[in-house]
Amino acid sequence: MSSKPFRVVILGAGFGGLEAARALARAPAEVTLIDRHNHHLFQPLLYQVATAALSPGDIAWPVRTIFRNQRNVQVMMAEVTGIDTTTREVLAGDELRIPYDALVLATGATHSYFGRDDWAPVAPGLKAIEDATDIRRRLLLAFERAELTENEAERRRLLTFVVIGGGPTGVELAGAMAELARHAMPQEFRRIDPATARVVLIEAGPRVLATFPEELGATARQSLERMGVQVLTGMRVTGCGPTGVECGEERIAASTIVWAAGVVASPVGSWIGADRDRAGRIKVRPDLSVPGQVDVFAVGDTASVMDAKGKPVPGNAPAAKQMGQYVGRLLAARAAGRPASPGFRYRHHGDLATIGRRSAVVALDSIRLTGLIGWWFWGIAHVWYLIGFRSRVVVSFEWLWSYLTFQRGARLITGREPLGGNAAPVPGQARALEKA
Amino acid sequence: MSSKPFRVVILGAGFGGLEAARALARAPAEVTLIDRHNHHLFQPLLYQVATAALSPGDIAWPVRTIFRNQRNVQVMMAEVTGIDTTTREVLAGDELRIPYDALVLATGATHSYFGRDDWAPVAPGLKAIEDATDIRRRLLLAFERAELTENEAERRRLLTFVVIGGGPTGVELAGAMAELARHAMPQEFRRIDPATARVVLIEAGPRVLATFPEELGATARQSLERMGVQVLTGMRVTGCGPTGVECGEERIAASTIVWAAGVVASPVGSWIGADRDRAGRIKVRPDLSVPGQVDVFAVGDTASVMDAKGKPVPGNAPAAKQMGQYVGRLLAARAAGRPASPGFRYRHHGDLATIGRRSAVVALDSIRLTGLIGWWFWGIAHVWYLIGFRSRVVVSFEWLWSYLTFQRGARLITGREPLGGNAAPVPGQARALEKA
């Protein structure tokens, strides 16, 4: 093992995969990092792309650039189609077979519609850049259509936006949508008042931000309601369609629905026949290896892990990074023939979510921050974790500019595809003026 | 006319339409500005989006925001489907009929394949944001695929980029592509050297930048060739396909082809039965009105106009702005019952094109600037004409950052649509890793 290089293959260039590769920087290992995108995405700020505050390029960086100077990493943009644990090879693209000595599964999670995949076209989730620009398109188109319609009921439907799921993503999205409607477009429309738009946040459980300390969930709810967001807890969505959302007997006519209610792990666990939890995550051992597969590890949203208190480790960026770093170090030791570290221990640093202008909730170990101070903390923490000087400068400037002017910097409706789902055909969108 | 407001309808929110609406700011007129996009696009920098230097949001602004404070402008995002010159109404969307007292046609131009529209899927042009992100995707994917392939001939094909058309757009694109390959990706690939990519600029005429003074065309060609661009003049493309370009007997195997060879005016002229030139532009009268239609005007790329010397007015942004402003002022006078100004006179301020890092050619009245000085002039002029403080800061910063680091800020491969045309199926693109 010391004569031949130790080959580590990492699937997925999210937070977990990135940290695993980084932790192998000085190891006598050859690392292959495979992702179907060419970029690493800073998902915690993706909702700001969906609400026109930031551009995709502000929060995504080519994976190659990140590893430019780490010469033992080879980046491949390819679709993984299978894993052969017998020959220890990853199958990718049409014909690639990539041998490994150790394999790290960091393929993340995707939206789960709990068996109602037919809701996907009308209630998109928010995981990739394309999701964000799709939601941005729906949101902004709704205002444009509302300005054109003569029908009062249709106008109200167009100006109703529903977010399903009251976790951090749902709360941040609902807050940002309310701000977009109330502040970003004053005086720009002649026939409608965008501030009359209705934003509804639906949560099946009893409260929003269920994983946060209870008083912060209550604070977040108050902040949302002060911004005009209607927060419906204990409501289960029973239907999503082109004209709106159903919760049992109740119907909310809406043009734009966003799904932030549930995720399911990528199916990589099923490829290797691993034991999985309800959310499809692989039940890993304390060292994050897959039971029965000493050479295969799972990190981030692909892994089901318990912390020291027996509570599940949350599916967020810090947890994914910690797991990735842990496995990277473990494999660095293995490659060098050093003894392995003890089992993975999750350190919970805190929870944070922003609700809107000058409003955020932050729970650190023993500290609670809300309002303006929480908001500053939230902003600085997020800029800190962006990759590279350029993004930090650009995002800081965009935020400062938005803060001072109340405007949004990326209010673009883009995309050629005709909008399916809950959007009525829009005048002037599907066909080109020049080609009519 | 003085009691009832004078209704001006402007089709198209490009440079011409925008200036026409602005010139009517203090006129007793109601202006309706219709575009199928929600944004005004700064087309002169679109090639920088296509080559990953800028984000779409940096060079596009919501039309509504631009006219936020001009209360007599109503902005409509809609597709115009026809014009009824008898009832003097514009037909838009599914059911909208918008009456006008004066109509300004500013719908611009689109790519012309000279009867070979079947080339469009393999050789996209560069007019809209979607075109730019599509070309960016093809360019960046070509490098990713080249890194994966084992086939040497295929690798060479993947790393060959062809730009058809040696006008300013073609020259700027070819230069930016060469820079992207040579400077933006050093050390990022492990199996290919991106700097070996071949960029070919094909021009049917005898020289590039044919509308510029001759010595500047020669300078531009030298600069391109110094950057490694192969400039082929006097070559007519006879075929474009998924595997490359044909010029008579010669074949160039290429993965990425961009069409910058010709434009044709939007078909709005045919709707109103106006007399048009070969490029579909309406042959307008000296006051830019359409012969036989005293209430209809054409500006920008939709209009065929001669300057004082009998030379055709070029199809660029300054010309469109001058025409738009002229018609706006004429209609402002008409609305106020004042006498109209004399015929339109085009003032040629100069020609400029950038070739790459520290290299541009600028022809002002009696001044010629090239090299570093030309490049600075080009950059400052373009930042100056951007709309708003935010874009000026962001674009200046992105350029400064790119200049210092040699990197590109928006190197993202986005879009869900499977790539048709000259791109082979890419491993890992069409299907999602999570859903495989």
Side-chain angles (χ1 to χ4, degrees), chain A residues 11-12 34-39 55-58 60-62 64-81 92-96 107-111 128-131 134 137 140-141 143-144 147-150 183-191 265-268 271 389-391 393-394 397-398 401 405-417 425-436, chain B residues 11-12 34-39 55-58 60-62 64-81 92-96 107-110 128-132 134 137 140-141 143-144 147-150 183-191 265-268 271 389-391 393-394 397-398 401 405-417 425-436:
Chain A
L11 307 188
I34 310 178
D35 199 287
R36 66 196 167 97
H37 292 117
N38 81 323
H39 50 267
S55 286
D58 300 341
W61 312 273
R64 294 193 179 285
T65 306
I66 296 170
F67 291 101
R68 167 184 287 198
N69 296 320
Q70 188 176 330
R71 303 301 299 174
N72 71 339
V73 174
Q74 159 139 34
V75 176
M76 281 191 182
M77 181 177 169
E79 180 197 4
V80 172
T81 53
D94 288 331
E95 49 189 21
L96 293 169
T107 44
T110 186
H111 333 297
I129 283 177
E130 291 79 4
D131 298 329
D134 178 22
R137 176 182 166 84
L140 299 178
L141 265 179
F143 290 100
E144 296 294 335
E147 174 83 348
L148 290 183
T149 188
E150 304 284 349
H183 296 307
M185 309 176 175
Q187 307 193 307
E188 293 195 9
F189 290 83
R190 302 293 181 249
R191 301 170 65 192
S266 68
V268 76
W271 296 353
F389 175 73
R390 187 191 68 87
S391 290
V393 170
V394 172
F397 174 76
E398 295 275 7
W401 178 81
T405 65
F406 289 84
Q407 294 187 39
R408 301 287 172 111
R411 243 176 66 197
L412 304 183
I413 299 176
T414 54
R416 290 197 180 95
E417 65 281 5
V426 64
Q429 200 49 35
R431 278 174 298 150
L433 182 60
E434 286 90 4
K435 291 170 191 165
Chain B
L11 307 188
I34 309 178
D35 198 287
R36 67 196 167 98
H37 293 117
N38 81 323
H39 50 266
S55 285
D58 300 341
W61 312 274
R64 295 194 179 286
T65 307
I66 296 169
F67 291 101
R68 167 183 286 196
N69 296 319
Q70 188 176 329
R71 302 301 299 174
N72 71 339
V73 173
Q74 159 139 31
V75 175
M76 282 191 182
M77 181 178 168
E79 180 196 5
V80 171
T81 53
D94 289 331
E95 49 189 19
L96 292 168
T107 45
T110 186
I129 283 177
E130 291 80 4
D131 298 329
D134 178 21
R137 176 183 168 81
L140 298 178
L141 265 180
F143 289 101
E144 296 294 335
E147 174 82 349
L148 291 182
T149 188
E150 304 285 349
H183 296 308
M185 309 177 174
Q187 308 193 304
E188 293 195 12
F189 290 83
R190 302 291 181 252
R191 300 170 65 191
S266 68
V268 75
W271 296 353
F389 176 71
R390 188 191 69 86
S391 290
V393 171
V394 172
F397 175 76
E398 295 275 8
W401 179 81
T405 67
F406 288 84
Q407 294 186 39
R408 300 287 172 113
R411 243 178 65 196
L412 304 183
I413 299 176
T414 56
R416 288 197 183 96
E417 65 280 3
V426 66
Q429 200 49 34
R431 278 175 297 151
L433 184 59
E434 286 89 3
K435 289 169 190 162

Side-chain angles (χ1 to χ4, degrees), chain A residues 35 44 52 68 85 100 104 122 138 146 151 154 171 176 187 192 223 236 238 275 298 305 311 329 343 375 388 411 434:
Chain A
D35 199 287
R68 167 184 287 198
T85 51
Y100 63 83
V104 182
V122 292
R138 287 168 190 243
N151 180 320
E154 175 66 2
V171 165
Q187 307 193 307
I192 61 164
S223 299
R236 193 169 290 279
T238 53
D275 193 24
V305 190
K311 273 180 61 185
R329 285 181 183 167
W375 187 69
R411 243 176 66 197
E434 286 90 4

